[in-house]
Structures are given as C-alpha cells and as structure tokens.
Amino acid sequence: MAQVYQDASINGIAADGVGGVSLIDETPILDGANAQVEEFLGEKTDYDEEAEEKRYYRRKRLLTVKSVVCASLGAAITYGVYLGLLQMQLILHYDETYRDVKYGNMGLQDIDSKMLMGINVTPIAALLYTPVLIRFFGIKWMMFLSTGIYALFVSTNYWERYYTLVPSATAIGVMIVPFWASMANYITRMAQKYYEFVNYKEENEREQRKAPRGASNKYIIIFQSTFYSIFYLSFVMAQFPMFFFLHKFLYSYQHTLANVKDCGSAIVQGILPKFNVTVLHTLPPSLDLIYVESALMGAAFVSMLLILILCGSAYRPTEEIDLRSIGWGSIFQLPFKHARDYRLRCLVPYFLYSGFEVLFAITGFTLCYGVCALGLESLPYLITAYGISASISSILALSMLRLPRQVPLVAGTVLHICILIGLFFWSPQPRLPTQGSTLYLVAVLWGIGSALNKCGLSIIIGMFYEDKERQDFVFTIYHWFQALAIFIVYLWSGLPMMAKLGIMLATALISVLSYLWMERKLSSRLPYRVPKIPAPRHKVRGYRYLEEENSDESDSGGVQEESEDEGEELEAANRKEQPSCRNRKERCYEQVVEEEQNIE
C-alpha cells in the first residue's frame, strides 16, 4: 500500500491535506506539487555551469556573425537594386525614340538631370544631421529606414513623373551618408561585441570595463573584410537587369559608335561625345518593364527584412539611452570638433580619393574607355569584372593581421597610380573589339585597388576610434567626404578626360603622402587631440537614475583623448550641477516628490 500511495502522490492524485507519510524506513515522501518544486529547484547532478556558459556565448558569437552577414547582404542587395534600376532607366531615357514614343514632350531628360542633381548635391548637408539621426533612431533602425528610402525610390519608377522621381531621388541623397555611416559603425560594433563574447572570462569583461586598446583589432579586420567581400557583389547584382532583360533590345557597337571618333584620354569634353542618340532597336514592352521593376522591388523588400529581422542590435538599451543623453547640441557639434584630431585631417585626402575612384570605375573608365571601344553591350561585363575582382580581393585585407596596417592601403593606391599613369597615354580605338582583353585587365586591377582602399580605410578608422561614443561621428566624417567627392565628380562631367585623370592622380599622390606623414607622427608619439564626450545627463524620471555612481555612464577618458582646457570646463560645469547637500540621493528624492506634488 505504501508503494501504491507513493506512486499516486507523485502523480498528483493524493488526498487533499496529506503532505507526506512515513514508511517503515521513515523516509519522507512528498506530495505531487512539492515533488515537482523539489525537482525544479533541487540540485541537478548533471548540470555543468561552465559548459552552459560556453554554449551561451557560442550562441552569442554565432548571432554576431549572422548579423554581420545579413547586414552585408542587405547593403549589397539595396545598393545593387539602386544601381541596376538607375543604370537601366538612364539607358532607356537616353534613347531618343523611347522618349518621343512613350513620354512625348514631358521633358524626361530634364527630369533625369534634376534627379541626378538631387542624388549628388543633397548629401553636402549630411554632416549637419547625420549624427543626430543616428543617435535618435539608433544604428539598426537607421539602417532599416535608409533601405526603406531606397525601396521608395524603386517604387516611384512605376510612375515616372517629375513629382515622383525627383523627390524620391532627393530622399536618396539625404540618406546616403546616414546609411553608410550607420553601416560602417554597425560592422565595427559587431567586431567589438564578438571580442567581448570570445573573452567573456577576462576580468575587464566580467566587470564591464573597457577592453584594452587594440584588443578587438583582429575582429575589426576580419569583419570589415567580410563586409566588403559581400558588398562588392552589389556591382554584379546591378547588372542583372542588363543581362536578363535589356541586352536583347540594344543595337550593336557598329550602330551606337558609328560617329564616335575619340576615346579615353583623347576625349576633350564630356562623356562619349557623338554617341548615337538611338541605342534601342526595339522598344521594350511596358508589361516587361513592370515585371523587372517588381522583381527589383521584391529584392529591396528582402533587404529590408534581412536588416529588420536577422540583424541584432548594436547597443544595449541602456547604452543607447546614454548615447542620446549627452545633449543634442553636443551631438550636433562633435563631428566638427573631431577635426582637431590630426589623424582625421591627414586621412581627408584618402576620403576624397575613395569617392573618386569608385565613380571613375563605373562611369569614367567603363564609358570613356570600355563602352567607347567595345560598345554599350560590353558595359555589364566590364562592371561585373570590376565587382568580382573587388569582392575576391577584399580578402587581401586580412593581410593586416600579419603585415603593418599601412601596407594594404598604400599598395592599393599605388596600383591605382600606376593604372592612371598608363591611362594618360592610352586612347583606345573606337569599334575595335580586340582591345577587350586589355580593358578587362584594367577593370580587374582597378577592382583590386578599390578593395584594398575601402577595406584599409574602414579598418584603420575602426582601430583609431575604438570608443563606441565617437564612432558614429568619425564614420559620418568619412562618408561625408566621400559624398563630397561624388558631388565633385558630378560637377566635372564636362571636363576633358586628361583633366579628370590629373585630378585623380594628384589626389592619390597627396593621399599616400599625407597618410605616411600621419603614420610618422604616430610613430614619434606626437599626441593628438580628441574632443571630450560629455557624460550622460539623464532626466530624473521615477527612481531609475538615483544612484551616485551610474554604471551605464560612458567613460571615454584617456590621457591622449581629452584636452586639459575642455576637462577643466567640464569639471566646472559638473561642480555647478552638483547638489549642495551631502546626500545626493535624498536631494534627488526631494526633487521627485516636489515634481509629483506639482503634477497633482
């Protein structure tokens, strides 16, 4: 009977009020509820705390890698859709027959010029609002919002009118710098988080203190190389509309290049002078255009979902509160205050050249050299060769794990300098397909240099500015100068090719010399000035921030990273804000009570 009663009590069908019985050996038997509680709370002999901790941080590391890959795919798809649609629409709108038949006297070329002006000119003001947007929305939501704006641009191409294309293109220009600044900041933060998850047993990680300087450099190099290896595939994705749709409607090079006399460095004005105004032998059906734009819209929507669902947050909620709580005026001023750092000033020529060389690859070289010699049908193949080469060559940035950091960056620029000198003395002959091998070789070599430049710059900025409180400001400066370079390229479109090559060559040489001078100053331990990040100033709401020492306060201090005059001003301001009473908690509590009474 005792055995039967024991089984029944464990199964939860014992009589009410019976807490337990004692058998012949006086072993206490618990009733059903107590047995389940004891089983849940009691010691488990098979539980290994260290193994569970390892599994937890292994999952964290895998989620971090997943976030980096998904963010890279989202950026690649977004930019590929944007470039592909813009390229297809500009080719269609260039054709005189297409404009006259489908749009009549609507002035489609004027709309295109206004649209390009909105994309290229609007980013000039981005330095004023980018840090404010990033701090207000957060990095992940800024990335998601930017991809949504790119998707909006795709959707407006269903109805091509002035009031749809121009506003959406202007919105693209507004979001270019915030998108790339938040994306670069996100990849750097993921590298730092990965370091924290790998070294979770170290004392500084257990106590949530700042990691030693340079500790996460290894993962910054790996993650930035991974990002650009995936991102450069966007130039390949951008050619899908040409490969699968538009190529069958294009005239051959004998027709489009019939009146072209000069190519390459021999061009004295504009891009492709005397290029035939009709490039389509048959107008594409409107229904097919809708299908292509719907596919691009679907891809843009997929990139939004990748960032929204599969990308983790870059900061903890308390960290984001602290990042906003330094004051919006300080957030607005800090990008300009970072100009005091000679490291950034020495890298400015590289920032400009980074914008020049990408646009030259997809416009100046491919049009004035490639299309001028091989015809418009060669355009997607040249850009595909450039994109694949840059994607594969981004892996070469991993050499920074072994070699000095200046080797890949300087090597990429030196390679571009050699190519630019060769382009000075080479003018391809129009309608001569035998020059194709040389043109593809130049595209591949230019892609190698672009990959080393882009990866090297992003890695060096991530190494120099490890403080999470200032990364968005520095990456904003970097991508703003790239946007300024895009604006300059937009302005010089009418110059002779020799002048364009001269400007790029001079910028590349100045970039290398300026960077090497900066490295020499760093090696001689010349101190640099980095503006002090103000401590978070939280509003008293309830009893959340009543502690004397708030563990969430940012500590961006450093011997080299703050100037003495700013430190004294900050201390004076803090002394003014300190309450006069001895016990700050009591003072804060009295203020809260007074506010509640006033509200009542």
Side-chain angles (χ1 to χ4, degrees), residues 67-84 143-144 146-148 150 176 179-184 186-187 226-238 299-300 302-308 311 479:
S67 297
V68 171
V69 173
C70 291
S72 306
L73 283 174
I77 295 173
T78 299
Y79 211 63
V81 167
Y82 161 68
L83 286 180
M143 292 159 53
F144 174 73
S146 301
T147 53
Y150 278 90
I176 284 176
F179 176 62
W180 291 112
S182 57
M183 186 65 69
Y186 185 82
I187 300 300
T226 302
F227 170 75
Y228 280 105
S229 294
I230 298 175
F231 166 72
Y232 271 113
L233 294 177
S234 62
F235 293 98
V236 181
M237 299 178 190
V302 168
S303 68
M304 293 175 63
L305 292 181
L306 280 174
I307 293 176
L308 178 64
C311 290
H479 290 284

Side-chain angles (χ1 to χ4, degrees), residues 118-119 122-123 126 129-130 133 149 169-179:
I119 293 174
T122 311
Y129 58 80
T130 298
L133 287 180
I149 296 298
T170 305
I172 287 281
V174 170
M175 282 299 170
I176 284 176
V177 177
F179 176 62

Side-chain angles (χ1 to χ4, degrees), residues 41-67:
L41 297 179
E43 290 190 15
K44 296 179 175 58
T45 58
D46 58 342
Y47 178 75
D48 187 351
E49 182 178 357
E50 185 175 356
E52 288 294 329
E53 192 177 38
K54 286 182 178 179
R55 280 195 288 269
Y56 171 77
Y57 282 101
R58 187 185 303 119
R59 288 195 299 270
K60 285 286 189 180
R61 293 195 295 269
L62 290 175
L63 289 175
T64 304
V65 173
K66 180 203 69 175
S67 297

Side-chain angles (χ1 to χ4, degrees), residues 302-322:
V302 168
S303 68
M304 293 175 63
L305 292 181
L306 280 174
I307 293 176
L308 178 64
I309 299 175
L310 298 179
C311 290
S313 60
Y315 297 101
R316 292 187 291 269
T318 52
E319 289 178 328
E320 290 192 345
I321 291 172
D322 287 342

